[in-house]
């Protein structure tokens, strides 16, 4: 109960399962034992997701909203800095109930995308299948295909393409982007396409740091 590494892994497991209040309880125990523990940015990311648990996945973008200090610390496993480690999010959040996690529509989506998941499995001795990452990748393929399809439809209808609100992009002014004059929107481009995968990859393994490098 006083092993900080075990506590970190337990907190992350609860986070992965959508059990945010339990995750917060364990993170508090961890940081009470070691206030400078490098797990502090994982807690910030967990609280960020807890506040948006029932928001559509593509209605916000963590690379824009999570402070750079938190993202950088999670990537470098930095110990807590008193100037940056104070929580920036409320502990209030929505739990995912078992019925939400395993309802019929979720199971149907996972079945439909199962065939895509093997695309990322290396056929090499020692690389064991990660079912969570496989499921996440399958859903990412579907999301990316749907957005690309919407863009193509817009182009075929005579428009410049699919308009994307800047707030949903990891970087609204990336190289090659075409903007809609006088608005806070831009046309769907290569980065918006790959944002579809990045968002699912960020959720698939909370112990991994998945951020766009140019947003630090």
């Amino acid at each position: 109960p006083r092993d900080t590494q075990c506590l970190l892994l337990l907190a992350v497991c609860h986070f992965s399962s959508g059990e945010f209040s339990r995750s917060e309880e364990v993170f508090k125990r961890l940081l009470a034992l070691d206030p400078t523990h490098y797990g502090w940015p994982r807690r910030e990311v967990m609280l960020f997701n807890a506040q948006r648990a029932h928001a559509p996945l593509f209605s916000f973008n963590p690379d824009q909203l999570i402070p750079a200090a938190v993202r950088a610390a999670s990537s470098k496993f930095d110990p807590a800095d008193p100037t940056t480690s104070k929580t920036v999010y409320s502990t209030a959040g929505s739990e995912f109930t078992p019925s939400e996690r395993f309802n019929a529509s979720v199971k149907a989506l996972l079945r439909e995308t199962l065939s895509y998941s093997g695309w990322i499995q290396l056929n090499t001795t020692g690389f064991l299948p990660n079912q969570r990452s496989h499921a996440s990748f399958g859903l990412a393929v579907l999301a990316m295909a749907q957005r690309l399809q919407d863009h193509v439809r817009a182009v075929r209808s005579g428009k410049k393409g699919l308009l994307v609100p800047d707030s949903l992009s990891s970087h609204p002014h990336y190289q090659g982007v075409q903007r809609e004059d006088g608005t806070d929107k831009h046309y769907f481009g290569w980065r918006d396409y790959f944002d579809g995968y990045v968002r699912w990859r960020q959720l698939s393994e909370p112990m991994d740091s998945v951020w766009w490098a140019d947003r630090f």
Side-chain angles (χ1 to χ4, degrees):
R2 298 183 63 84
D3 187 300
T4 55
Q5 188 63 20
C6 288
L7 287 172
L8 174 61
L9 293 175
L10 178 59
V12 168
C13 284
H14 284 310
F15 173 18
S16 300
S17 300
E19 299 171 339
F20 301 113
S21 59
R22 290 185 177 183
S23 180
E24 172 66 346
E25 290 174 6
V26 180
F27 270 122
K28 284 183 175 180
R29 287 167 55 194
L30 165 64
L31 295 174
L33 289 172
D34 182 1
T36 65
H37 194 276
Y38 65 83
W40 73 268
R42 311 289 172 190
R43 175 176 181 257
E44 300 301 304
V45 174
M46 182 276 293
L47 293 174
F48 173 87
N49 281 277
Q51 286 191 333
R52 295 161 179 80
H54 290 87
L57 184 62
F58 293 102
S59 65
F60 60 92
N61 194 289
D63 280 273
Q64 281 208 52
L65 298 175
I66 295 179
V70 174
R71 288 181 277 118
S74 73
S75 303
K76 297 184 290 184
F77 293 91
D78 280 352
D81 180 338
T83 63
T84 59
S85 60
K86 183 178 179 181
T87 183
V88 293
Y89 306 110
S90 165
T91 56
S94 302
E95 299 289 304
F96 283 116
T97 64
S99 61
E100 287 178 307
R101 293 198 293 267
F102 304 110
N103 62 34
S105 60
V106 171
K107 290 180 179 178
L109 273 177
L110 291 173
R111 283 196 303 269
E112 290 296 321
T113 57
L114 181 64
S115 61
Y116 310 141
S117 62
W119 295 354
I120 59 169
Q121 177 64 36
L122 292 178
N123 187 20
T124 304
T125 302
F127 284 87
L128 301 177
N130 183 322
Q131 293 185 356
R132 181 183 174 93
S133 291
H134 282 196
S136 179
F137 179 78
L139 294 169
V141 170
L142 179 62
M144 295 168 75
Q146 289 174 333
R147 297 193 84 194
L148 183 59
Q149 186 179 55
D150 290 341
H151 175 65
V152 171
R153 283 173 177 166
V155 172
R156 287 182 172 177
S157 69
K159 301 177 182 178
K160 289 184 179 181
L162 177 67
L163 275 174
V164 179
D166 291 345
S167 60
L168 307 188
S169 176
S170 58
H171 200 319
H173 301 282
Y174 62 85
Q175 184 176 6
V177 67
Q178 296 185 41
R179 300 196 56 79
E180 175 76 345
D181 295 338
T183 72
D184 57 356
K185 297 180 180 180
H186 61 276
Y187 289 101
F188 183 83
W190 65 268
R191 182 154 179 155
D192 302 292
Y193 179 69
F194 283 105
D195 270 340
Y197 173 69
V198 171
R199 292 293 290 107
W200 279 106
R201 183 62 182 84
Q202 288 170 329
L203 289 175
S204 69
E205 177 47 76
M207 279 297 287
D208 291 346
S209 298
V210 183
W211 311 107
W212 285 92
D214 61 356
R215 294 298 294 176
F216 286 118

